[in-house]
Amino acid sequence: MIRTRGRPRSFDREQALQLAMQVFWSKGYEGTTMADLTEAIGVKAPSLYAAFGDKNALFREAVDVYSRTVSAEPLRELQAGRGIREDLCAMLRASVRMYSGKHGVPGLPAGKGCMVVISAINCAPENAEHSDALSQRRHKRRNEIRARLLQAQREGEIRADADVTALGDFYTSFLNGLALGARDGVSTARLAATLEHAMLPLEHALAVAGKRKGAARAA
């Protein structure tokens, strides 16, 4: 419970952020109204404004909550250091779980798809700051995948002549497609079944033939 001068606020700020995240994740920034937020959180608008300022600030904080909780597992898997094939497989599997609403973060509401992909795509000009901010987050994830592939190339796991930038772009686009598929209602089983095929580009880029064995099965 957060206390201010005088009367305490009637809600827990962190819980309110989690609930706001769910609304924005479900309806998108522009599709979400303050009435949606106050109803979901169970407070009146003045309390919400007092805690977060305005809808813009609340959305930014909700995206931060999403990034440090729900979407953190795939990156942890990618950077686990078990070898590029194992790490990439684990990242893809974690992403399927997350996009299917099985993020595994206790106490956090689940949603479908990826909040960073779907919640602020085609905003009106006055809301472009949000679509730009999410675009920057997507580029950051693209760079994180490329950096992991470059590390594997430096360590000799990936052939020196392999185009890791293109490979990273492929996996970034594949993840975005998974997110949209989950949002459209494609089942977890069908999304997971695509991973075997998604591992083939990496398999062909691996430097040592022995490291390719079982790449598809590992997915």
Side-chain angles (χ1 to χ4, degrees):
M1 185 77 65
I2 291 187
R3 296 181 179 274
T4 56
R5 238 180 250 175
R7 232 178 130 174
R9 292 197 182 119
S10 59
F11 65 97
D12 179 89
R13 195 176 192 279
E14 190 61 27
Q15 183 182 26
L17 272 174
Q18 294 172 11
L19 293 169
M21 176 192 75
Q22 174 67 13
V23 178
F24 285 124
W25 192 354
S26 175
K27 295 189 172 186
Y29 174 77
E30 291 192 339
T32 297
T33 65
M34 286 303 292
D36 293 328
L37 294 166
T38 55
E39 181 179 356
I41 297 169
V43 297
K44 295 186 181 301
S47 295
L48 209 59
Y49 285 122
F52 299 104
D54 59 13
K55 178 182 165 184
N56 290 318
L58 180 52
F59 179 72
R60 286 192 293 269
E61 286 201 55
V63 172
D64 284 339
V65 168
Y66 177 86
S67 295
R68 72 172 185 262
T69 56
V70 175
S71 70
E73 183 188 2
L75 182 60
R76 285 196 300 269
E77 296 287 9
L78 180 66
Q79 298 176 342
R82 296 159 298 203
I84 187 59
R85 180 166 59 82
E86 291 76 8
D87 287 352
L88 192 63
C89 280
M91 179 198 73
L92 295 177
R93 288 194 299 267
S95 297
V96 167
R97 290 193 299 271
M98 179 182 79
Y99 299 156
S100 299
K102 301 171 183 176
H103 54 66
V105 182
L108 283 182
K112 295 286 188 179
C114 175
M115 184 179 181
V116 172
V117 172
I118 62 178
S119 62
I121 295 291
N122 296 315
C123 286
E126 61 268 24
N127 298 320
E129 64 175 292
H130 299 303
S131 56
D132 291 345
L134 294 194
S135 176
Q136 290 173 12
R137 288 179 183 270
R138 293 192 296 272
H139 280 299
K140 182 174 183 289
R141 182 53 52 94
R142 183 186 302 271
N143 290 335
E144 288 164 346
I145 294 172
R146 180 175 179 271
R148 181 65 185 89
L149 293 167
L150 280 170
Q151 177 189 343
Q153 191 173 52
R154 288 193 303 270
E155 294 173 352
E157 289 188 278
I158 292 177
R159 296 194 325 267
D161 63 345
D163 187 344
V164 294
T165 296
L167 197 58
D169 288 342
F170 167 78
Y171 284 111
T172 303
S173 299
F174 179 72
L175 287 172
N176 291 341
L178 286 177
L180 291 173
R183 181 65 173 221
D184 288 343
V186 178
S187 70
T188 304
R190 284 186 63 182
L191 294 176
T194 67
L195 302 189
E196 177 178 348
H197 305 284
M199 290 304 298
L200 293 176
L202 178 69
E203 182 182 355
H204 293 312
L206 290 175
V208 180
K211 290 184 179 180
R212 299 180 199 153
K213 188 177 180 181
R217 289 195 302 274

